Short mmCIF file of all heavy atoms in Angstrom, two decimals:
data_model
loop_
_atom_site.label_atom_id
_atom_site.label_comp_id
_atom_site.label_asym_id
_atom_site.label_seq_id
_atom_site.Cartn_x
_atom_site.Cartn_y
_atom_site.Cartn_z
N ARG A 6 2.87 15.23 -0.83
CA ARG A 6 2.89 14.47 0.42
C ARG A 6 1.54 13.80 0.67
O ARG A 6 1.47 12.69 1.21
CB ARG A 6 3.26 15.39 1.58
CG ARG A 6 4.69 15.92 1.46
CD ARG A 6 5.06 16.85 2.60
NE ARG A 6 6.42 17.37 2.40
CZ ARG A 6 6.77 18.64 2.54
NH1 ARG A 6 5.86 19.52 2.93
NH2 ARG A 6 8.00 19.02 2.33
N THR A 7 0.46 14.46 0.26
CA THR A 7 -0.87 13.85 0.38
C THR A 7 -0.97 12.63 -0.51
O THR A 7 -1.51 11.59 -0.11
CB THR A 7 -1.95 14.88 0.00
OG1 THR A 7 -1.79 16.06 0.79
CG2 THR A 7 -3.34 14.30 0.23
N PHE A 8 -0.45 12.75 -1.74
CA PHE A 8 -0.42 11.60 -2.65
C PHE A 8 0.40 10.46 -2.05
O PHE A 8 -0.05 9.31 -2.03
CB PHE A 8 0.17 12.01 -4.00
CG PHE A 8 0.51 10.84 -4.90
CD1 PHE A 8 -0.46 10.24 -5.68
CD2 PHE A 8 1.81 10.32 -4.92
CE1 PHE A 8 -0.15 9.15 -6.48
CE2 PHE A 8 2.12 9.23 -5.72
CZ PHE A 8 1.13 8.64 -6.50
N TYR A 9 1.58 10.78 -1.55
CA TYR A 9 2.47 9.77 -0.98
C TYR A 9 1.79 9.04 0.18
O TYR A 9 1.83 7.82 0.27
CB TYR A 9 3.77 10.43 -0.52
CG TYR A 9 4.82 9.47 -0.03
CD1 TYR A 9 5.84 9.03 -0.86
CD2 TYR A 9 4.80 8.99 1.28
CE1 TYR A 9 6.82 8.14 -0.40
CE2 TYR A 9 5.74 8.10 1.75
CZ TYR A 9 6.76 7.69 0.90
OH TYR A 9 7.70 6.80 1.36
N ASP A 10 1.16 9.82 1.05
CA ASP A 10 0.49 9.23 2.21
C ASP A 10 -0.68 8.34 1.79
O ASP A 10 -0.93 7.29 2.42
CB ASP A 10 -0.01 10.33 3.16
CG ASP A 10 1.14 11.06 3.84
OD1 ASP A 10 2.26 10.53 3.86
OD2 ASP A 10 0.90 12.18 4.35
N LYS A 11 -1.39 8.75 0.75
CA LYS A 11 -2.52 7.94 0.26
C LYS A 11 -2.01 6.60 -0.29
O LYS A 11 -2.62 5.55 -0.04
CB LYS A 11 -3.30 8.70 -0.82
CG LYS A 11 -4.57 7.97 -1.27
CD LYS A 11 -5.40 8.85 -2.18
CE LYS A 11 -6.66 8.13 -2.66
NZ LYS A 11 -7.57 7.78 -1.58
N VAL A 12 -0.90 6.62 -1.01
CA VAL A 12 -0.31 5.39 -1.52
C VAL A 12 0.09 4.48 -0.35
O VAL A 12 -0.22 3.29 -0.33
CB VAL A 12 0.91 5.66 -2.41
CG1 VAL A 12 1.60 4.35 -2.82
CG2 VAL A 12 0.50 6.44 -3.66
N LYS A 13 0.77 5.07 0.64
CA LYS A 13 1.24 4.29 1.78
C LYS A 13 0.07 3.68 2.56
O LYS A 13 0.12 2.51 2.97
CB LYS A 13 2.08 5.18 2.70
CG LYS A 13 2.88 4.41 3.74
CD LYS A 13 3.88 5.31 4.45
CE LYS A 13 4.73 4.52 5.43
NZ LYS A 13 5.73 5.38 6.11
N ASP A 14 -0.99 4.46 2.74
CA ASP A 14 -2.16 3.98 3.48
C ASP A 14 -2.93 2.91 2.70
O ASP A 14 -3.62 2.09 3.30
CB ASP A 14 -3.10 5.14 3.81
CG ASP A 14 -2.50 6.12 4.81
OD1 ASP A 14 -1.52 5.75 5.48
OD2 ASP A 14 -3.00 7.26 4.88
N SER A 15 -2.80 2.94 1.37
CA SER A 15 -3.57 2.02 0.52
C SER A 15 -2.75 0.80 0.10
O SER A 15 -3.28 -0.06 -0.62
CB SER A 15 -4.05 2.75 -0.74
OG SER A 15 -4.75 3.92 -0.43
N ILE A 16 -1.49 0.71 0.53
CA ILE A 16 -0.58 -0.28 -0.04
C ILE A 16 -1.08 -1.71 0.16
O ILE A 16 -0.94 -2.56 -0.72
CB ILE A 16 0.85 -0.10 0.53
CG1 ILE A 16 1.87 -0.67 -0.45
CG2 ILE A 16 1.00 -0.69 1.91
CD1 ILE A 16 2.05 0.13 -1.69
N SER A 17 -1.69 -1.98 1.31
CA SER A 17 -2.18 -3.33 1.58
C SER A 17 -3.30 -3.70 0.61
O SER A 17 -3.30 -4.80 0.03
CB SER A 17 -2.67 -3.44 3.02
OG SER A 17 -3.12 -4.75 3.29
N ASP A 18 -4.24 -2.79 0.40
CA ASP A 18 -5.34 -3.05 -0.53
C ASP A 18 -4.85 -3.17 -1.96
O ASP A 18 -5.36 -3.98 -2.74
CB ASP A 18 -6.38 -1.93 -0.43
CG ASP A 18 -7.13 -1.94 0.90
OD1 ASP A 18 -7.19 -3.01 1.52
OD2 ASP A 18 -7.62 -0.88 1.30
N LEU A 19 -3.85 -2.36 -2.30
CA LEU A 19 -3.32 -2.39 -3.67
C LEU A 19 -2.63 -3.72 -3.98
O LEU A 19 -2.78 -4.27 -5.08
CB LEU A 19 -2.32 -1.24 -3.87
CG LEU A 19 -2.89 0.18 -3.92
CD1 LEU A 19 -1.75 1.19 -3.86
CD2 LEU A 19 -3.71 0.38 -5.19
N LEU A 20 -1.88 -4.24 -3.01
CA LEU A 20 -1.04 -5.42 -3.26
C LEU A 20 -1.70 -6.74 -2.91
O LEU A 20 -1.22 -7.80 -3.32
CB LEU A 20 0.28 -5.28 -2.51
CG LEU A 20 1.21 -4.14 -2.95
CD1 LEU A 20 2.49 -4.16 -2.14
CD2 LEU A 20 1.52 -4.24 -4.44
N LYS A 21 -2.79 -6.70 -2.16
CA LYS A 21 -3.42 -7.95 -1.69
C LYS A 21 -3.79 -8.89 -2.84
O LYS A 21 -3.62 -10.11 -2.72
CB LYS A 21 -4.64 -7.62 -0.84
CG LYS A 21 -5.12 -8.78 0.02
CD LYS A 21 -6.21 -8.31 1.00
CE LYS A 21 -5.65 -7.39 2.06
NZ LYS A 21 -6.67 -6.98 3.07
N PRO A 22 -4.28 -8.38 -3.99
CA PRO A 22 -4.61 -9.30 -5.08
C PRO A 22 -3.39 -9.88 -5.79
O PRO A 22 -3.53 -10.74 -6.65
CB PRO A 22 -5.41 -8.41 -6.06
CG PRO A 22 -5.77 -7.18 -5.30
CD PRO A 22 -4.67 -6.99 -4.30
N LEU A 23 -2.19 -9.39 -5.42
CA LEU A 23 -1.00 -9.71 -6.20
C LEU A 23 0.03 -10.56 -5.46
O LEU A 23 0.63 -11.47 -6.03
CB LEU A 23 -0.34 -8.40 -6.65
CG LEU A 23 0.62 -8.43 -7.84
CD1 LEU A 23 -0.11 -8.87 -9.10
CD2 LEU A 23 1.23 -7.05 -8.05
N VAL A 24 0.23 -10.28 -4.17
CA VAL A 24 1.30 -10.96 -3.43
C VAL A 24 0.76 -11.56 -2.13
O VAL A 24 -0.29 -11.14 -1.62
CB VAL A 24 2.45 -9.98 -3.10
CG1 VAL A 24 3.03 -9.36 -4.35
CG2 VAL A 24 1.99 -8.88 -2.15
N PRO A 25 1.47 -12.55 -1.56
CA PRO A 25 1.05 -13.11 -0.27
C PRO A 25 0.98 -12.02 0.79
O PRO A 25 1.80 -11.10 0.80
CB PRO A 25 2.17 -14.11 0.05
CG PRO A 25 2.81 -14.42 -1.25
CD PRO A 25 2.69 -13.19 -2.09
N GLU A 26 0.00 -12.11 1.66
CA GLU A 26 -0.20 -11.07 2.67
C GLU A 26 1.05 -10.85 3.52
O GLU A 26 1.37 -9.73 3.89
CB GLU A 26 -1.39 -11.42 3.55
CG GLU A 26 -1.78 -10.30 4.50
CD GLU A 26 -3.12 -10.53 5.18
OE1 GLU A 26 -3.80 -11.51 4.84
OE2 GLU A 26 -3.48 -9.72 6.04
N ALA A 27 1.77 -11.94 3.81
CA ALA A 27 2.96 -11.82 4.66
C ALA A 27 4.06 -11.01 3.99
O ALA A 27 4.94 -10.47 4.66
CB ALA A 27 3.48 -13.22 5.00
N ALA A 28 4.01 -10.91 2.66
CA ALA A 28 5.07 -10.21 1.92
C ALA A 28 4.73 -8.75 1.62
O ALA A 28 5.57 -8.01 1.10
CB ALA A 28 5.36 -10.94 0.61
N ILE A 29 3.52 -8.33 1.96
CA ILE A 29 3.06 -6.99 1.55
C ILE A 29 3.94 -5.88 2.11
O ILE A 29 4.30 -4.93 1.39
CB ILE A 29 1.58 -6.79 1.94
CG1 ILE A 29 0.68 -7.60 1.00
CG2 ILE A 29 1.21 -5.30 1.90
CD1 ILE A 29 -0.80 -7.51 1.34
N LYS A 30 4.31 -5.95 3.38
CA LYS A 30 5.11 -4.87 3.97
C LYS A 30 6.48 -4.77 3.30
O LYS A 30 6.97 -3.66 3.04
CB LYS A 30 5.27 -5.08 5.47
CG LYS A 30 4.02 -4.76 6.26
CD LYS A 30 4.27 -4.80 7.77
CE LYS A 30 3.02 -4.41 8.53
NZ LYS A 30 3.23 -4.44 10.01
#
């Protein structure tokens, strides 16, 4: 659950170099 929460909390930073900001969620 700690791993899962870390991924969820980091998702914006992880995806920002890859997809448009509006599509991140």
Side-chain angles (χ1 to χ4, degrees):
R6 295 180 182 134
T7 305
F8 168 83
Y9 185 97
D10 291 342
K11 186 172 179 63
V12 174
K13 193 170 184 179
D14 292 343
S15 306
I16 205 72
S17 182
D18 291 335
L19 290 169
L20 295 182
K21 197 171 291 183
L23 201 62
V24 302
E26 187 168 355
I29 286 178
K30 285 188 177 180

